[in-house]
């Protein structure tokens, strides 16, 4: 059995100071090792949190002003960026889809005497509702 | 000095008048033991200036020394009555961490000051010394108690020691420790600066214990 030295004990005192009384020295040493691995993983997390490395290259950033891609699509993209999602949540897709369907059917009914109920208050086609253009998927 | 005297078997009380050889003998034990040895001095009364080791003034100094594997300490305490309490607790912790595999030794000089014979219920330094004497060896901590005034030393503390090394002492002191069955007749026949080593039951283990001259101050 290896002889214990004063420095060995101080290592245990320093690293395992929170150990429970009565623990075997092997447990204290294991606790010290675990303490070190916890420190290592938390260090990695800390590095990740504080990392300033950009995830998107500059050339991949959209033009700040683009008439063709702007307007409602840009508003939609802005909302997506704010919420940090790549696509709309399913429930929003459902809502938008239902609304689109309604508008489509309303438009068809207004232009071709469709079977749908017509309250007579027809008029020129209104502008496309924001966010519901073909460009938006 | 005989092997009996150098044995690690238990704590020891070293009793005798001043200039009789008790400190020199204790100094030899402190210098030559295989244990990690700490000599607790009162600051200004350095009893081991000629023993290689680390001089410390606080527990922090001890801890620093332990980290660098130093094995001899001269603890120059400004308040030994307080430091012995802290030291006892710290040694308990060290022994626990080492699973009692690190042999330790504490030399307490002027022990009658730290563990006085008193009826007081609460005497922290005395209680700490009692613990060291009674329970130290269970933790592989050997206690060496030195006193020039056995009359003033806590009786319960002295009773807990495994060995007693006696040197020349006053008649009053001899009477005070008579219950231990010391062989004062043999002591009277020894040379100067020579002690008689007894076991707790009074048996004489060595009738001529004398330190090497190099440890004389």
């Amino acid at each position: 059995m290896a002889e214990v030295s004063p420095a060995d004990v101080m290592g245990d005192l320093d690293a395992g100071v929170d150990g429970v009384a009565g623990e075997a020295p092997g447990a204290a040493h294991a606790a010290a090792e675990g303490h070190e691995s916890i420190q290592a993983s938390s260090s990695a997390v800390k590095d990740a949190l504080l990392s300033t490395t950009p995830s998107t290259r500059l050339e991949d950033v959209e033009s700040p002003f683009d008439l063709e891609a702007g307007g409602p699509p840009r508003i939609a993209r802005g909302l997506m960026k704010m919420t940090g999602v790549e696509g709309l949540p399913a429930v929003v897709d459902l809502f938008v889809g239902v609304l689109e369907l309604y508008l489509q059917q309303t438009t068809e009914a207004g232009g071709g005497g469709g079977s749908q109920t017509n309250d007579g208050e027809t008029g020129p086609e209104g502008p496309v509702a924001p966010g519901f253009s073909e460009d938006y998927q | 000095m005989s092997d009996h005297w150098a044995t690690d078997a238990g704590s020891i009380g070293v009793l005798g008048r001043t200039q009789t050889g008790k400190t020199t003998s204790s100094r030899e034990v402190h210098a030559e033991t295989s244990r990690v040895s700490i000599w607790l001095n009162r600051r200004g009364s350095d009893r081991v200036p000629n023993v290689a080791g680390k001089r410390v003034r606080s527990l922090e100094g001890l801890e620093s020394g332990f980290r660098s594997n130093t094995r001899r300490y001269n603890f120059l305490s400004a308040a030994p009555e307080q430091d012995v309490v802290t030291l006892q607790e710290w040694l308990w912790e060290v022994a626990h961490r080492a699973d009692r595999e690190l042999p330790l030794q504490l030399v307490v000089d002027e022990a009658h000051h730290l563990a006085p014979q008193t009826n007081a219920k609460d005497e922290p330094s005395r209680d700490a010394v009692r613990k060291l004497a009674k329970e130290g060896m269970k933790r592989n901590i050997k206690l060496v108690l030195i006193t020039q005034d056995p009359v003033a030393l806590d009786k319960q503390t002295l009773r807990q020691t495994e060995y007693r090394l006696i040197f020349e002492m006053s008649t009053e002191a001899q009477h005070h420790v008579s219950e231990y069955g010391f062989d004062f007749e043999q002591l009277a026949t020894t040379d100067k600066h020579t002690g008689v080593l007894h076991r707790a039951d009074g048996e004489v283990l060595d009738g001529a214990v004398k330190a090497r001259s190099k440890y004389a101050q």
Side-chain angles (χ1 to χ4, degrees):
Chain A
M1 188 180 294
E3 190 178 311
V4 176
S5 72
D8 293 336
V9 178
M10 292 313 298
D12 282 351
L13 274 172
D14 289 343
V17 69
D18 295 329
V20 176
E23 271 185 2
H29 183 64
E33 287 186 340
H35 179 71
E36 289 174 3
S37 67
I38 289 172
Q39 276 187 323
S41 63
S42 64
S43 174
V45 169
K46 181 181 173 184
D47 288 342
L49 288 173
L50 299 180
S51 172
T52 56
T53 304
S55 57
T56 310
R57 294 179 302 170
L58 287 176
E59 50 264 36
D60 293 336
V61 174
E62 295 166 349
S63 167
F65 189 76
D66 186 344
L67 285 176
E68 292 182 359
R74 183 174 295 282
I75 294 172
R77 285 196 297 278
L79 288 171
M80 291 167 62
K81 288 177 182 178
M82 282 168 59
T83 55
V85 296
E86 293 181 357
L88 284 179
V91 63
V92 177
D93 273 331
L94 287 174
F95 175 76
V96 170
V98 167
L99 187 60
E100 284 175 330
L101 180 63
Y102 170 75
L103 290 174
Q104 286 172 1
Q105 292 181 344
T106 305
T107 304
E108 288 172 1
S115 57
Q116 290 183 6
T117 303
N118 187 353
D119 59 4
E121 294 182 350
T122 58
E125 288 185 358
V128 176
F132 300 127
S133 70
E134 289 180 358
D135 292 336
Y136 175 70
Q137 297 294 327
Chain B
M1 189 164 280
S2 71
D3 290 337
H4 288 298
W5 167 228
T7 182
D8 271 351
S11 56
I12 184 165
V14 185
L15 320 174
R17 258 203 298 236
T18 54
Q19 301 296 321
T20 55
K22 63 180 188 306
T23 304
T24 305
S25 299
S26 303
R27 201 177 288 130
E28 179 170 349
V29 171
H30 171 68
E32 300 197 356
T33 183
S34 58
R35 295 174 176 267
V36 176
S37 186
I38 303 166
W39 186 300
L40 181 59
N41 290 275
R42 187 177 295 275
R43 202 175 294 175
S45 176
D46 188 353
R47 298 303 181 95
V48 286
N50 53 351
V51 176
K54 185 178 175 69
R55 276 189 180 182
V56 300
R57 295 189 166 205
S58 64
L59 198 59
E60 287 71 27
L62 269 182
E63 290 174 344
S64 169
F66 265 58
R67 286 191 193 93
S68 52
N69 265 331
T70 302
R71 299 185 70 89
R72 294 289 174 274
Y73 297 89
N74 187 1
F75 193 148
L76 298 169
S77 168
E81 294 82 0
Q82 296 169 17
D83 282 335
V84 74
V85 178
T86 311
L87 204 48
Q88 177 265 303
E89 292 168 352
W90 184 76
L91 286 172
W92 256 226
E93 181 65 24
V94 168
H96 171 66
R97 293 292 172 184
D99 200 22
R100 306 171 189 191
E101 290 181 10
L102 179 64
L104 297 158
Q105 174 173 279
L106 178 63
V107 182
V108 177
D109 204 357
E110 306 288 338
H112 54 282
H113 288 312
L114 302 188
Q117 175 61 36
T118 172
N119 293 326
K121 271 190 177 179
D122 187 25
E123 190 75 30
S125 62
R126 178 201 63 192
D127 296 341
V129 174
R130 276 183 182 175
K131 268 189 192 173
L132 284 160
K134 186 176 179 182
E135 302 171 28
M137 283 312 297
K138 296 177 190 174
R139 293 168 171 79
N140 209 356
I141 304 170
K142 177 177 176 173
L143 178 68
V144 179
L145 285 171
I146 309 171
T147 181
Q148 64 189 26
D149 193 354
V151 177
L153 180 64
D154 176 48
K155 281 190 173 180
Q156 189 173 333
T157 296
L158 186 56
R159 275 196 210 108
Q160 296 295 336
T161 55
E162 299 276 337
Y163 302 96
R164 291 86 186 240
L165 176 63
I166 62 167
F167 291 84
E168 184 187 331
M169 61 178 79
S170 66
T171 306
E172 180 194 7
Q174 289 186 17
H175 179 74
H176 185 78
V177 298
S178 60
E179 67 180 270
Y180 300 106
F182 294 142
D183 193 341
F184 291 109
E185 286 181 5
Q186 184 161 3
L187 181 64
T189 65
T190 59
D191 295 334
K192 199 176 179 184
H193 302 130
T194 304
V196 178
L197 179 65
H198 297 76
R199 207 163 51 192
D201 59 3
E203 179 186 349
V204 173
L205 295 177
D206 193 331
V209 178
K210 187 171 183 177
R212 283 185 276 166
S213 59
K214 76 175 192 176
Y215 292 110
Q217 202 165 346

